[in-house]
Amino acid sequence: MVTTAGMHLQKSPRLGDIMAPEDNSFGVMRLLMASLVLISHSYMYTFGTTLAEPLTTWTGHSLGEHAVQGFFILSGILVAQSFERSRSLFDFAAARVLRIFPGLIVCVLLTALLLGPLVSQLAPEQYFSSPVLFAYIAKTLSLSTGSAPLPGVFTDVPMAGSVNSSLWTLKYEVLCYVGLALAGTAGLFAAKYRGVVTIALAAFLVVIFAGDPEPIENYTFTDNVRYFALYFGTGTLIYLVRDRLVITALALLPLAALFVFAQGTRFAELTTALLIGYAIVWAASHRFGPLRAWCNRIDLSFGVYIYAGPIQQALIDAAPALPPIANTAIAFALVLPLALLSWVLIEHPALSLRAVLRRKLQYRASAATLTIVPR
Protein backbone atom coordinates (compact mmCIF):
# COMPACT_ATOMS: atom_id res chain seq x y z
CA MET A 1 0.00 0.00 0.00
CA VAL A 2 1.46 3.39 -1.00
CA THR A 3 0.31 6.93 -0.21
CA THR A 4 -0.04 9.54 -2.95
CA ALA A 5 -1.53 12.98 -2.32
CA GLY A 6 -3.25 11.71 0.76
CA MET A 7 -4.85 8.75 -1.04
CA HIS A 8 -4.10 5.08 -0.50
CA LEU A 9 -3.55 3.19 -3.74
CA GLN A 10 -3.43 -0.57 -3.69
CA LYS A 11 -0.72 -2.20 -5.74
CA SER A 12 -1.93 -4.67 -8.36
CA PRO A 13 -1.27 -8.23 -7.20
CA ARG A 14 0.77 -10.78 -9.09
CA LEU A 15 -0.50 -14.28 -9.72
CA GLY A 16 2.22 -15.69 -7.48
CA ASP A 17 0.70 -13.76 -4.57
CA ILE A 18 -2.66 -15.53 -4.84
CA MET A 19 -1.77 -19.14 -5.71
CA ALA A 20 -2.95 -20.46 -2.33
CA PRO A 21 -6.56 -21.73 -2.62
CA GLU A 22 -7.79 -19.37 0.08
CA ASP A 23 -6.42 -16.43 -1.92
CA ASN A 24 -7.92 -17.19 -5.34
CA SER A 25 -11.21 -18.21 -6.93
CA PHE A 26 -10.01 -20.90 -9.33
CA GLY A 27 -12.65 -23.21 -7.84
CA VAL A 28 -15.34 -20.72 -8.82
CA MET A 29 -13.85 -20.55 -12.34
CA ARG A 30 -13.98 -24.34 -12.69
CA LEU A 31 -17.64 -24.40 -11.72
CA LEU A 32 -18.33 -21.53 -14.12
CA MET A 33 -16.66 -23.36 -17.02
CA ALA A 34 -18.66 -26.54 -16.32
CA SER A 35 -21.87 -24.51 -16.16
CA LEU A 36 -21.11 -22.80 -19.49
CA VAL A 37 -20.61 -26.20 -21.11
CA LEU A 38 -24.02 -27.30 -19.82
CA ILE A 39 -25.67 -24.13 -21.15
CA SER A 40 -23.97 -24.52 -24.54
CA HIS A 41 -24.92 -28.17 -24.83
CA SER A 42 -28.58 -27.32 -24.29
CA TYR A 43 -28.47 -25.68 -27.72
CA MET A 44 -26.25 -28.33 -29.28
CA TYR A 45 -28.44 -31.23 -28.15
CA THR A 46 -31.67 -29.40 -29.03
CA PHE A 47 -30.67 -28.47 -32.58
CA GLY A 48 -28.08 -31.18 -33.26
CA THR A 49 -25.24 -28.77 -34.06
CA THR A 50 -22.95 -26.23 -32.38
CA LEU A 51 -23.79 -23.80 -35.19
CA ALA A 52 -26.98 -22.97 -33.30
CA GLU A 53 -24.93 -20.62 -31.13
CA PRO A 54 -24.12 -17.09 -32.37
CA LEU A 55 -20.58 -17.30 -30.99
CA THR A 56 -19.68 -20.12 -33.40
CA THR A 57 -20.12 -17.99 -36.51
CA TRP A 58 -17.99 -15.20 -35.03
CA THR A 59 -15.13 -16.94 -33.20
CA GLY A 60 -15.29 -20.38 -34.79
CA HIS A 61 -16.08 -21.90 -31.38
CA SER A 62 -19.26 -22.35 -29.38
CA LEU A 63 -19.63 -21.08 -25.82
CA GLY A 64 -19.04 -24.64 -24.62
CA GLU A 65 -15.84 -24.97 -26.65
CA HIS A 66 -14.54 -21.70 -25.19
CA ALA A 67 -15.41 -23.03 -21.74
CA VAL A 68 -13.42 -26.20 -22.42
CA GLN A 69 -10.52 -24.01 -23.52
CA GLY A 70 -10.81 -22.31 -20.15
CA PHE A 71 -10.89 -25.69 -18.43
CA PHE A 72 -7.61 -26.69 -20.07
CA ILE A 73 -5.97 -23.39 -19.16
CA LEU A 74 -7.08 -23.81 -15.54
CA SER A 75 -5.81 -27.36 -15.62
CA GLY A 76 -2.46 -26.19 -16.97
CA ILE A 77 -2.10 -23.76 -14.07
CA LEU A 78 -3.26 -26.04 -11.28
CA VAL A 79 -1.76 -29.30 -12.49
CA ALA A 80 1.61 -27.58 -12.98
CA GLN A 81 1.38 -26.43 -9.38
CA SER A 82 0.43 -29.96 -8.32
CA PHE A 83 3.39 -31.43 -10.20
CA GLU A 84 5.86 -29.03 -8.63
CA ARG A 85 4.54 -29.82 -5.15
CA SER A 86 4.41 -33.60 -5.65
CA ARG A 87 6.98 -35.78 -3.94
CA SER A 88 7.56 -37.98 -7.00
CA LEU A 89 6.14 -38.94 -10.35
CA PHE A 90 4.15 -41.65 -8.58
CA ASP A 91 2.63 -39.10 -6.22
CA PHE A 92 1.68 -36.94 -9.21
CA ALA A 93 0.24 -39.92 -11.12
CA ALA A 94 -1.79 -41.01 -8.11
CA ALA A 95 -3.30 -37.55 -7.74
CA ARG A 96 -4.31 -37.39 -11.40
CA VAL A 97 -5.77 -40.92 -11.52
CA LEU A 98 -7.78 -40.38 -8.35
CA ARG A 99 -9.10 -37.03 -9.55
CA ILE A 100 -10.54 -38.40 -12.80
CA PHE A 101 -11.28 -42.10 -12.73
CA PRO A 102 -13.32 -42.84 -9.57
CA GLY A 103 -15.95 -40.26 -10.48
CA LEU A 104 -15.83 -41.22 -14.15
CA ILE A 105 -16.26 -44.95 -13.44
CA VAL A 106 -19.37 -44.36 -11.33
CA CYS A 107 -20.84 -41.97 -13.91
CA VAL A 108 -20.28 -44.41 -16.79
CA LEU A 109 -21.77 -47.34 -14.87
CA LEU A 110 -24.81 -45.35 -13.75
CA THR A 111 -25.35 -44.14 -17.32
CA ALA A 112 -24.95 -47.58 -18.86
CA LEU A 113 -26.67 -49.74 -16.24
CA LEU A 114 -29.36 -47.43 -14.83
CA LEU A 115 -30.23 -44.62 -17.22
CA GLY A 116 -29.60 -46.62 -20.38
CA PRO A 117 -32.20 -49.36 -19.85
CA LEU A 118 -34.75 -46.78 -18.65
CA VAL A 119 -34.61 -44.76 -21.89
CA SER A 120 -33.62 -47.46 -24.39
CA GLN A 121 -36.06 -48.53 -27.09
CA LEU A 122 -34.93 -52.13 -26.54
CA ALA A 123 -36.42 -54.53 -24.03
CA PRO A 124 -34.27 -54.98 -20.90
CA GLU A 125 -33.11 -58.47 -21.90
CA GLN A 126 -32.06 -57.20 -25.33
CA TYR A 127 -30.35 -54.18 -23.84
CA PHE A 128 -28.29 -56.06 -21.27
CA SER A 129 -27.32 -58.82 -23.71
CA SER A 130 -26.15 -56.41 -26.40
CA PRO A 131 -22.37 -56.24 -27.00
CA VAL A 132 -22.84 -52.53 -27.64
CA LEU A 133 -23.45 -52.05 -23.90
CA PHE A 134 -20.15 -53.61 -22.90
CA ALA A 135 -18.35 -51.82 -25.72
CA TYR A 136 -19.66 -48.50 -24.38
CA ILE A 137 -18.33 -49.23 -20.89
CA ALA A 138 -14.96 -50.45 -22.14
CA LYS A 139 -14.39 -47.69 -24.70
CA THR A 140 -15.53 -44.88 -22.44
CA LEU A 141 -13.57 -45.95 -19.37
CA SER A 142 -10.44 -46.54 -21.46
CA LEU A 143 -10.87 -43.00 -22.85
CA SER A 144 -10.48 -44.38 -26.37
CA THR A 145 -13.62 -42.48 -27.39
CA GLY A 146 -16.27 -40.29 -25.85
CA SER A 147 -18.84 -40.98 -28.56
CA ALA A 148 -19.62 -44.68 -28.05
CA PRO A 149 -23.38 -45.39 -28.28
CA LEU A 150 -25.61 -47.41 -25.98
CA PRO A 151 -28.05 -49.95 -27.47
CA GLY A 152 -31.32 -48.28 -28.47
CA VAL A 153 -30.50 -45.12 -26.50
CA PHE A 154 -31.19 -41.61 -27.82
CA THR A 155 -31.81 -42.80 -31.37
CA ASP A 156 -34.59 -40.30 -32.19
CA VAL A 157 -33.06 -37.05 -30.93
CA PRO A 158 -31.27 -34.39 -33.03
CA MET A 159 -27.86 -35.64 -31.86
CA ALA A 160 -28.78 -39.29 -32.36
CA GLY A 161 -26.61 -41.83 -30.59
CA SER A 162 -24.68 -39.28 -28.54
CA VAL A 163 -24.74 -40.35 -24.91
CA ASN A 164 -22.19 -38.08 -23.24
CA SER A 165 -20.34 -35.85 -25.68
CA SER A 166 -18.33 -34.08 -22.96
CA LEU A 167 -16.22 -37.14 -22.20
CA TRP A 168 -14.24 -37.02 -25.45
CA THR A 169 -11.94 -34.32 -24.02
CA LEU A 170 -10.73 -36.46 -21.10
CA LYS A 171 -8.33 -38.40 -23.32
CA TYR A 172 -6.57 -35.18 -24.27
CA GLU A 173 -6.55 -34.02 -20.66
CA VAL A 174 -4.66 -37.17 -19.69
CA LEU A 175 -2.26 -36.75 -22.62
CA CYS A 176 -1.52 -33.24 -21.37
CA TYR A 177 -0.76 -34.68 -17.93
CA VAL A 178 1.69 -37.11 -19.50
CA GLY A 179 3.36 -34.35 -21.50
CA LEU A 180 3.69 -32.19 -18.39
CA ALA A 181 5.17 -35.09 -16.41
CA LEU A 182 7.76 -35.74 -19.13
CA ALA A 183 8.65 -32.06 -19.41
CA GLY A 184 8.76 -31.69 -15.64
CA THR A 185 11.07 -34.67 -15.25
CA ALA A 186 13.33 -33.12 -17.90
CA GLY A 187 13.64 -29.94 -15.85
CA LEU A 188 10.68 -27.73 -16.72
CA PHE A 189 10.36 -26.53 -13.13
CA ALA A 190 14.05 -26.33 -12.21
CA ALA A 191 14.85 -22.81 -11.02
CA LYS A 192 18.14 -22.58 -12.95
CA TYR A 193 16.35 -23.30 -16.26
CA ARG A 194 13.28 -21.15 -15.59
CA GLY A 195 14.07 -18.38 -18.05
CA VAL A 196 15.10 -20.68 -20.88
CA VAL A 197 12.16 -23.10 -20.56
CA THR A 198 9.67 -20.25 -20.26
CA ILE A 199 10.89 -18.77 -23.54
CA ALA A 200 10.99 -22.22 -25.16
CA LEU A 201 7.43 -23.04 -24.06
CA ALA A 202 6.16 -19.67 -25.28
CA ALA A 203 7.83 -20.22 -28.65
CA PHE A 204 6.35 -23.71 -28.86
CA LEU A 205 2.85 -22.40 -28.23
CA VAL A 206 3.28 -19.77 -30.94
CA VAL A 207 4.41 -22.21 -33.63
CA ILE A 208 2.05 -25.15 -33.03
CA PHE A 209 -0.80 -23.17 -34.58
CA ALA A 210 1.26 -21.25 -37.12
CA GLY A 211 -0.54 -22.79 -40.10
CA ASP A 212 -3.68 -21.54 -41.81
CA PRO A 213 -6.87 -21.88 -39.71
CA GLU A 214 -9.06 -24.92 -40.25
CA PRO A 215 -12.62 -25.67 -39.06
CA ILE A 216 -12.54 -27.60 -35.79
CA GLU A 217 -14.89 -30.25 -37.21
CA ASN A 218 -12.10 -31.20 -39.66
CA TYR A 219 -9.51 -31.73 -36.93
CA THR A 220 -7.61 -35.02 -36.90
CA PHE A 221 -6.27 -36.65 -33.73
CA THR A 222 -2.99 -34.77 -34.21
CA ASP A 223 -4.85 -31.48 -34.65
CA ASN A 224 -6.77 -32.12 -31.43
CA VAL A 225 -3.53 -32.84 -29.56
CA ARG A 226 -2.07 -29.54 -30.81
CA TYR A 227 -5.30 -27.72 -29.99
CA PHE A 228 -5.54 -28.90 -26.40
CA ALA A 229 -1.76 -28.63 -25.89
CA LEU A 230 -2.04 -24.93 -26.79
CA TYR A 231 -4.56 -24.22 -24.05
CA PHE A 232 -3.04 -26.51 -21.41
CA GLY A 233 0.41 -25.16 -22.29
CA THR A 234 -0.87 -21.59 -21.94
CA GLY A 235 -1.96 -22.43 -18.41
CA THR A 236 1.44 -23.97 -17.67
CA LEU A 237 3.17 -20.89 -19.07
CA ILE A 238 0.99 -18.67 -16.88
CA TYR A 239 2.09 -20.71 -13.88
CA LEU A 240 5.77 -20.41 -14.82
CA VAL A 241 5.57 -16.60 -14.98
CA ARG A 242 3.25 -16.29 -11.98
CA ASP A 243 5.69 -14.20 -9.94
CA ARG A 244 5.93 -11.64 -12.74
CA LEU A 245 2.35 -11.71 -13.99
CA VAL A 246 0.62 -8.54 -12.77
CA ILE A 247 -3.17 -8.83 -12.53
CA THR A 248 -4.96 -5.72 -13.75
CA ALA A 249 -8.16 -5.16 -15.71
CA LEU A 250 -6.30 -2.76 -18.01
CA ALA A 251 -4.43 -5.67 -19.61
CA LEU A 252 -7.72 -7.15 -20.81
CA LEU A 253 -8.25 -4.29 -23.27
CA PRO A 254 -5.27 -4.93 -25.58
CA LEU A 255 -5.77 -8.69 -25.31
CA ALA A 256 -9.42 -8.29 -26.33
CA ALA A 257 -8.38 -6.10 -29.27
CA LEU A 258 -5.85 -8.71 -30.43
CA PHE A 259 -8.54 -11.37 -30.11
CA VAL A 260 -10.99 -9.42 -32.27
CA PHE A 261 -8.48 -8.54 -35.00
CA ALA A 262 -7.07 -12.09 -35.15
CA GLN A 263 -10.38 -13.82 -35.86
CA GLY A 264 -10.18 -15.73 -39.13
CA THR A 265 -6.37 -15.63 -39.17
CA ARG A 266 -3.72 -18.14 -38.17
CA PHE A 267 -3.31 -16.30 -34.87
CA ALA A 268 -6.93 -16.72 -33.76
CA GLU A 269 -6.31 -19.68 -31.43
CA LEU A 270 -3.25 -18.08 -29.88
CA THR A 271 -5.00 -14.79 -29.11
CA THR A 272 -8.01 -16.73 -27.79
CA ALA A 273 -5.75 -18.62 -25.40
CA LEU A 274 -4.10 -15.41 -24.21
CA LEU A 275 -7.40 -13.59 -23.65
CA ILE A 276 -9.19 -16.46 -21.91
CA GLY A 277 -6.12 -17.29 -19.84
CA TYR A 278 -5.63 -13.77 -18.56
CA ALA A 279 -9.38 -13.22 -18.08
CA ILE A 280 -9.54 -16.33 -15.88
CA VAL A 281 -6.57 -15.17 -13.80
CA TRP A 282 -8.11 -11.70 -13.43
CA ALA A 283 -11.52 -13.11 -12.45
CA ALA A 284 -9.91 -15.59 -10.04
CA SER A 285 -8.28 -12.68 -8.20
CA HIS A 286 -11.76 -11.59 -7.02
CA ARG A 287 -13.36 -13.07 -3.91
CA PHE A 288 -16.96 -13.77 -5.05
CA GLY A 289 -18.12 -13.56 -1.45
CA PRO A 290 -18.75 -16.89 0.31
CA LEU A 291 -18.82 -18.72 -3.04
CA ARG A 292 -15.02 -18.93 -3.05
CA ALA A 293 -14.82 -20.74 0.29
CA TRP A 294 -17.70 -23.02 -0.69
CA CYS A 295 -16.09 -24.00 -4.01
CA ASN A 296 -12.78 -24.62 -2.24
CA ARG A 297 -14.50 -27.12 0.06
CA ILE A 298 -16.90 -28.69 -2.44
CA ASP A 299 -15.80 -29.02 -6.07
CA LEU A 300 -18.87 -29.69 -8.22
CA SER A 301 -17.19 -28.86 -11.54
CA PHE A 302 -16.22 -32.38 -12.58
CA GLY A 303 -19.59 -33.82 -11.58
CA VAL A 304 -21.46 -31.15 -13.53
CA TYR A 305 -19.24 -31.76 -16.54
CA ILE A 306 -19.64 -35.54 -16.70
CA TYR A 307 -23.31 -35.89 -15.70
CA ALA A 308 -24.88 -33.05 -17.71
CA GLY A 309 -24.82 -34.68 -21.16
CA PRO A 310 -26.86 -37.84 -20.47
CA ILE A 311 -29.41 -35.87 -18.44
CA GLN A 312 -29.83 -33.23 -21.14
CA GLN A 313 -30.26 -35.89 -23.82
CA ALA A 314 -32.80 -37.73 -21.67
CA LEU A 315 -34.79 -34.50 -21.27
CA ILE A 316 -34.88 -33.97 -25.03
CA ASP A 317 -35.74 -37.62 -25.59
CA ALA A 318 -38.70 -37.30 -23.19
CA ALA A 319 -39.82 -33.83 -24.33
CA PRO A 320 -38.63 -33.05 -27.89
CA ALA A 321 -40.27 -29.61 -27.87
CA LEU A 322 -38.39 -28.51 -24.75
CA PRO A 323 -36.58 -25.22 -25.55
CA PRO A 324 -32.88 -24.82 -24.69
CA ILE A 325 -33.52 -22.42 -21.82
CA ALA A 326 -35.89 -24.88 -20.14
CA ASN A 327 -33.46 -27.72 -20.81
CA THR A 328 -30.72 -25.70 -19.11
CA ALA A 329 -32.83 -24.91 -16.05
CA ILE A 330 -34.11 -28.46 -15.52
CA ALA A 331 -30.70 -29.99 -16.22
CA PHE A 332 -29.08 -27.76 -13.58
CA ALA A 333 -31.74 -28.76 -11.06
CA LEU A 334 -30.97 -32.44 -11.68
CA VAL A 335 -27.21 -32.27 -12.22
CA LEU A 336 -26.19 -30.21 -9.19
CA PRO A 337 -27.44 -32.77 -6.63
CA LEU A 338 -25.74 -35.55 -8.60
CA ALA A 339 -22.50 -33.57 -8.71
CA LEU A 340 -22.75 -32.99 -4.96
CA LEU A 341 -23.26 -36.71 -4.29
CA SER A 342 -20.38 -37.53 -6.63
CA TRP A 343 -18.06 -35.19 -4.72
CA VAL A 344 -19.15 -36.24 -1.23
CA LEU A 345 -19.38 -40.00 -1.84
CA ILE A 346 -16.84 -40.65 -4.61
CA GLU A 347 -14.44 -37.91 -5.63
CA HIS A 348 -13.42 -36.45 -2.26
CA PRO A 349 -13.00 -39.84 -0.52
CA ALA A 350 -10.95 -41.05 -3.50
CA LEU A 351 -8.53 -38.15 -3.15
CA SER A 352 -7.81 -39.25 0.41
CA LEU A 353 -6.43 -42.51 -1.02
CA ARG A 354 -3.59 -40.64 -2.73
CA ALA A 355 -0.99 -41.61 -0.14
CA VAL A 356 -2.05 -45.28 -0.26
CA LEU A 357 -1.90 -45.46 -4.04
CA ARG A 358 1.42 -43.63 -4.07
CA ARG A 359 2.97 -46.21 -1.77
CA LYS A 360 1.66 -49.07 -3.91
CA LEU A 361 2.99 -47.54 -7.10
CA GLN A 362 6.37 -46.89 -5.51
CA TYR A 363 6.55 -50.46 -4.23
CA ARG A 364 5.76 -51.99 -7.62
CA ALA A 365 8.27 -49.83 -9.43
CA SER A 366 10.84 -49.32 -6.70
CA ALA A 367 13.63 -50.31 -9.05
CA ALA A 368 12.82 -47.48 -11.42
CA THR A 369 11.67 -44.67 -9.14
CA LEU A 370 11.93 -41.28 -10.79
CA THR A 371 11.81 -38.20 -8.59
CA ILE A 372 10.75 -34.82 -9.79
CA VAL A 373 13.52 -32.31 -10.41
CA PRO A 374 13.48 -29.90 -7.46
CA ARG A 375 13.10 -26.19 -7.84
Side-chain angles (χ1 to χ4, degrees):
M1 193 79 72
V2 296
T3 304
T4 302
M7 296 181 65
H8 293 283
L9 302 177
Q10 187 172 4
K11 184 179 179 182
S12 297
R14 298 173 188 266
L15 177 59
D17 300 328
I18 63 166
M19 282 305 297
E22 62 272 15
D23 296 326
N24 64 62
S25 296
F26 285 133
V28 178
M29 293 299 102
R30 285 196 301 267
L31 182 58
L32 173 63
M33 296 302 117
S35 299
L36 292 178
V37 171
L38 187 155
I39 294 169
S40 174
H41 282 183
S42 291
Y43 290 85
M44 182 185 73
Y45 287 132
T46 298
F47 299 107
T49 175
T50 59
L51 297 178
E53 288 189 36
L55 266 184
T56 306
T57 57
W58 180 44
T59 68
H61 295 290
S62 67
L63 177 64
E65 288 166 351
H66 283 306
V68 170
Q69 293 164 357
F71 254 133
F72 272 76
I73 291 171
L74 277 166
S75 186
I77 296 171
L78 298 174
V79 174
Q81 181 184 49
S82 173
F83 183 93
E84 194 170 29
R85 291 180 175 180
S86 296
R87 299 179 183 179
S88 67
L89 278 179
F90 303 106
D91 186 35
F92 176 73
R96 303 280 59 81
V97 167
L98 291 171
R99 187 63 192 95
I100 290 180
F101 284 97
L104 176 64
I105 290 170
V106 173
C107 175
V108 169
L109 293 179
L110 286 176
T111 302
L113 304 180
L114 182 60
L115 177 65
L118 290 176
V119 300
S120 176
Q121 294 183 350
L122 301 181
E125 60 273 14
Q126 292 176 302
Y127 179 87
F128 284 107
S129 62
S130 173
V132 176
L133 168 62
F134 303 101
Y136 172 83
I137 295 173
K139 290 179 179 179
T140 307
L141 290 182
S142 67
L143 305 185
S144 61
T145 180
S147 58
L150 281 170
V153 172
F154 304 143
T155 58
D156 296 326
V157 295
M159 285 200 68
S162 177
V163 177
N164 197 340
S165 62
S166 297
L167 300 186
W168 79 278
T169 64
L170 296 182
K171 169 171 57 181
Y172 298 100
E173 178 88 3
V174 171
L175 288 175
C176 287
Y177 295 163
V178 173
L180 179 69
L182 293 174
T185 303
L188 179 65
F189 298 100
K192 61 181 178 179
Y193 303 134
R194 182 61 54 90
V196 174
V197 299
T198 299
I199 294 172
L201 178 57
F204 171 74
L205 296 178
V206 170
V207 301
I208 59 174
F209 263 88
D212 292 329
E214 185 176 356
I216 194 169
E217 60 267 18
N218 296 336
Y219 277 13
T220 63
F221 171 78
T222 302
D223 292 327
N224 283 325
V225 170
R226 292 190 303 119
Y227 172 77
F228 287 113
L230 170 64
Y231 290 97
F232 187 90
T234 298
T236 303
L237 181 63
I238 288 172
Y239 178 75
L240 288 175
V241 300
R242 64 193 181 279
D243 293 327
R244 297 180 179 272
L245 185 63
V246 177
I247 305 173
T248 170
L250 293 177
L252 291 170
L253 297 176
L255 290 174
L258 286 172
F259 169 79
V260 171
F261 287 120
Q263 293 309 306
T265 74
R266 65 182 60 189
F267 300 108
E269 294 293 348
L270 180 61
T271 58
T272 299
L274 291 174
L275 176 59
I276 293 178
Y278 194 87
I280 285 175
V281 168
W282 174 78
S285 69
H286 294 73
R287 296 202 63 87
F288 293 97
L291 184 60
R292 171 193 284 184
W294 192 83
C295 287
N296 283 342
R297 294 195 311 271
I298 302 173
D299 186 358
L300 302 185
S301 59
F302 188 63
V304 170
Y305 188 75
I306 62 176
Y307 280 101
I311 289 177
Q312 290 177 283
Q313 280 284 64
L315 289 173
I316 293 172
D317 190 46
L322 194 69
I325 295 177
N327 184 287
T328 297
I330 298 172
F332 265 123
L334 297 174
V335 168
L336 288 176
L338 278 175
L340 179 60
L341 289 173
S342 178
W343 173 255
V344 172
L345 300 179
I346 309 299
E347 299 168 50
H348 188 257
L351 291 175
S352 65
L353 298 176
R354 178 176 178 178
V356 176
L357 183 56
R358 180 179 65 231
R359 288 193 295 269
K360 289 185 177 181
L361 287 171
Q362 288 175 328
Y363 175 78
R364 292 182 180 180
S366 57
T369 298
L370 299 173
T371 56
I372 293 176
V373 178
R375 294 180 66 183

